[in-house]
């Protein structure tokens, strides 16, 4: 009799405990969600929206729609909201993916290039555009031939070779020399091809497909991401000038009060072109030039000639800041330490200038800049 009673008590205890557990769980869900556990109306944590919630077509479908992020440390230090467009999140690792894709697409639309016919895309570049061209050429059925100065970061050559590009290194010389890397790429393209194969010179400095890549895509993205153009300043450097001109022409037509500032590395002549309409840098003095283009550790921006793409928007640029190598290096280390942002040299230049603009405008303003690429392709030179 005692054994039966014990078993009955045990059974009652188990059933009672189960009922209490179910009731308490339901009560907790109701407390947190205000509804049944099957259909919570307010989640406990907010899941960030997907960058792109649809299925894309190939690697070129991954290009663009990059996030616009608040750079916390710089915003807190200045009292402004400093936003960086994370172009390093493109599949090729830089904003040049947009340019390379649009250049190749434009050539296809004009009937110049046809995939899988043995055609080759040629370009003279200091690295990033070449990497983007090599990636997209592979994806779309072309080969890539990249001509570069031989004094760039070593990882750029390595990336190009892994992507299957033919890499031709040349000594740094002036743009007026026929063996300058851009000039040589043009010559190589003209010598290539036959009845079926084409050698196409991408010509990123003068090809307006560069400008339109940003006028038609990057600019509208920034406009939308700032809730219909709620920004006060745009700050970025220029190499080919396509990004600066494309963004400036698109945004200034829609944001009446917008100010645009050029961020120029030491040794570049664009600063004086914007400020005084004279293409000149102190390193242009007789006997002072050391390199082919710009005397700086910064790669990807700065030039001592007026390109077609830069000229398209230069009259809309309001002012310019010159950034030294030391300032760029210090900024890059600061952003790693404070924000975990590991950026390349041109991005660091942009951030230095963004802080200067914030201090000039005063607290409460919204400033947008570009984070062109990460530090991963600048390890052997800038880092």
């Amino acid at each position: 009799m005692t054994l039966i009673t014990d078993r009955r008590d045990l059974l009652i205890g188990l059933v009672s405990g189960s009922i209490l557990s179910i009731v308490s769980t339901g009560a907790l869900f109701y407390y947190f969600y205000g509804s049944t556990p099957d259909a919570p109306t307010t989640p406990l944590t907010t899941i960030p929206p997907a960058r792109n919630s649809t299925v894309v077509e190939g690697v070129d479908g991954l290009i663009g729609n990059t996030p616009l992020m608040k750079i916390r440390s710089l915003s807190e230090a200045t009292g402004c909201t400093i936003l960086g467009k994370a172009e390093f999140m493109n599949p090729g690792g830089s904003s040049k993916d947009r340019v390379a894709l649009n250049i190749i697409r434009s050539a296809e639309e004009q009937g110049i290039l046809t995939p899988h016919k043995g055609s080759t895309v040629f370009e003279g570049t200091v690295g990033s555009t070449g990497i983007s061209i090599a990636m997209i050429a592979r994806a779309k059925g072309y080969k890539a031939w990249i001509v570069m100065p031989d004094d760039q970061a070593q990882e750029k050559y390595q990336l190009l070779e892994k992507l299957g590009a033919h890499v031709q290194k040349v000594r740094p010389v002036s743009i007026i020399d026929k063996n300058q890397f851009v000039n040589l790429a043009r010559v190589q393209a003209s010598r290539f091809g036959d009845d079926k194969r084409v050698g196409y010179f991408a010509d990123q400095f003068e090809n307006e497909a560069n400008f339109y890549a940003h006028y038609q895509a990057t600019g509208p993205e920034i406009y939308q991401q700032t809730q219909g153009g709620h920004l006060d300043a745009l700050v970025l450097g220029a190499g080919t000038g396509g990004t600066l001109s494309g963004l400036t022409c698109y945004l200034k037509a829609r944001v009446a009060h917008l100010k645009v500032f050029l961020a120029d590395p030491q040794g570049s002549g664009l600063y004086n072109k914007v400020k005084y309409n004279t293409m000149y840098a102190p390193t242009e003095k007789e006997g002072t030039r050391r390199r082919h283009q710009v005397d700086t550790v910064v790669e990807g921006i700065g030039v001592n000639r007026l390109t077609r793409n830069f000229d398209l928007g230069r009259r809309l640029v309001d002012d310019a800041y010159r950034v030294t190598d030391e300032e760029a290096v210090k900024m890059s280390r600061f952003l790693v330490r404070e924000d975990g942002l590991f950026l390349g040299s041109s991005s660091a230049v942009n951030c230095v200038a963004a802080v200067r603009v914030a201090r000039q405008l005063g607290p409460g303003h919204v400033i947008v800049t570009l984070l062109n690429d990460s530090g991963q392709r600048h390890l052997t030179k800038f880092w």
Side-chain angles (χ1 to χ4, degrees):
M1 185 67 180
T2 303
L3 180 60
I4 293 172
T5 302
D6 291 343
R7 286 180 176 176
R8 183 183 61 190
D9 292 343
L10 177 62
L11 181 60
I12 292 171
L14 287 172
V15 171
S16 301
S18 298
I19 292 170
L20 287 171
S21 178
I22 291 169
V23 170
S24 61
T25 300
L28 284 170
F29 266 97
Y30 188 84
Y31 175 79
F32 284 118
Y33 295 118
S35 179
T36 64
D38 293 328
T41 57
T42 306
L44 292 176
T45 57
T46 302
I47 300 173
R51 179 178 166 191
N52 195 327
S53 58
T54 61
V55 175
V56 299
E57 184 70 28
V59 71
D60 45 312
L62 298 170
I63 296 171
N65 293 311
T66 54
L68 188 65
M69 63 166 289
K70 180 179 180 180
I71 305 176
R72 291 174 182 155
S73 64
L74 303 186
S75 298
E76 291 170 1
T78 61
C80 289
T81 300
I82 298 182
L83 306 174
K85 191 153 174 63
E87 290 294 281
F88 56 81
M89 293 184 68
N90 282 301
S94 81
S95 59
K96 295 298 185 179
D97 285 3
R98 299 176 184 266
V99 176
L101 178 61
N102 205 42
I103 285 175
I104 291 175
R105 276 182 176 169
S106 297
E108 290 175 333
E109 291 168 359
Q110 296 170 48
I112 299 171
L113 287 175
T114 303
H116 306 293
K117 297 290 185 181
S119 295
T120 296
V121 181
F122 290 79
E123 184 59 300
T125 168
V126 296
S128 289
T129 304
I131 292 167
S132 298
I133 286 175
M135 177 189 72
I136 296 164
R138 276 291 179 186
K140 294 178 73 66
Y142 305 104
K143 296 179 180 179
W145 186 309
I146 307 301
V147 185
M148 291 178 64
D150 63 6
D151 61 349
Q152 302 302 294
Q154 292 302 307
E155 48 271 23
K156 291 184 179 182
Y157 307 118
Q158 294 166 357
L159 278 169
L160 283 164
E161 289 166 354
K162 296 301 182 184
L163 285 166
H166 176 86
V167 181
Q168 182 178 358
K169 301 177 187 178
V170 298
R171 290 298 305 156
V173 293
S174 169
I175 186 65
I176 63 174
D177 192 307
K178 65 180 181 180
N179 291 318
Q180 194 264 358
F181 64 98
V182 175
N183 297 335
L184 194 56
R186 182 186 293 107
V187 171
Q188 295 283 26
S190 67
R191 292 174 177 172
F192 182 88
D194 48 36
D195 293 339
K196 295 181 179 180
R197 301 181 305 160
V198 172
Y200 179 67
F201 176 50
D203 199 13
Q204 61 169 325
F205 288 89
E206 310 301 328
N207 192 332
E208 290 186 15
N210 181 347
F211 168 89
Y212 283 108
H214 299 291
Y215 184 85
Q216 295 172 342
T218 321
E221 287 173 27
I222 291 174
Y223 186 79
Q224 183 180 24
Q225 289 168 325
T226 54
Q227 289 75 51
H230 289 121
L231 70 158
D232 300 296
L234 176 69
V235 185
L236 68 158
T240 66
T243 311
L244 178 71
S245 291
L247 295 182
T248 298
C249 289
Y250 181 86
L251 292 170
K252 275 222 165 183
R254 291 159 179 80
V255 186
H257 68 277
L258 180 68
K259 298 294 183 183
V260 177
F261 298 85
L262 170 73
D264 210 31
Q266 65 183 50
S268 172
L270 296 179
Y271 169 84
N272 282 322
K273 188 65 178 176
V274 169
K275 297 280 284 187
Y276 311 113
N277 199 30
T278 300
M279 185 67 75
Y280 175 79
T283 49
E284 294 290 297
K285 292 178 181 178
E286 186 69 28
T288 61
R289 173 172 285 277
R290 297 189 303 275
R291 294 184 66 249
H292 63 291
Q293 185 175 356
V294 179
D295 290 323
T296 176
V297 297
V298 175
E299 296 180 351
I301 59 173
V303 70
N304 282 307
R305 60 188 175 93
L306 186 62
T307 68
R308 170 63 178 160
N309 278 299
F310 183 80
D311 200 39
L312 287 170
R314 72 180 177 91
R315 291 171 180 82
L316 297 176
V317 179
D318 295 286
D319 205 350
Y321 286 101
R322 178 172 285 146
V323 178
T324 67
D325 285 353
E326 182 181 5
E327 289 173 316
V329 169
K330 285 182 177 179
M331 175 60 75
S332 67
R333 275 59 175 178
F334 175 83
L335 290 171
V336 164
R337 185 175 69 249
E338 300 298 326
D339 299 273
L341 270 176
F342 184 48
L343 300 176
S345 54
S346 63
S347 301
V349 168
N350 287 349
C351 289
V352 171
V355 169
R356 289 191 189 172
V357 171
R359 288 172 177 163
Q360 175 182 323
L361 298 181
H365 292 86
V366 177
I367 298 158
V368 172
T369 191
L370 261 66
L371 309 179
N372 301 312
D373 62 7
S374 79
Q376 295 178 19
R377 62 182 58 173
H378 298 265
L379 294 173
T380 56
K381 187 171 180 181
F382 184 70
W383 281 93

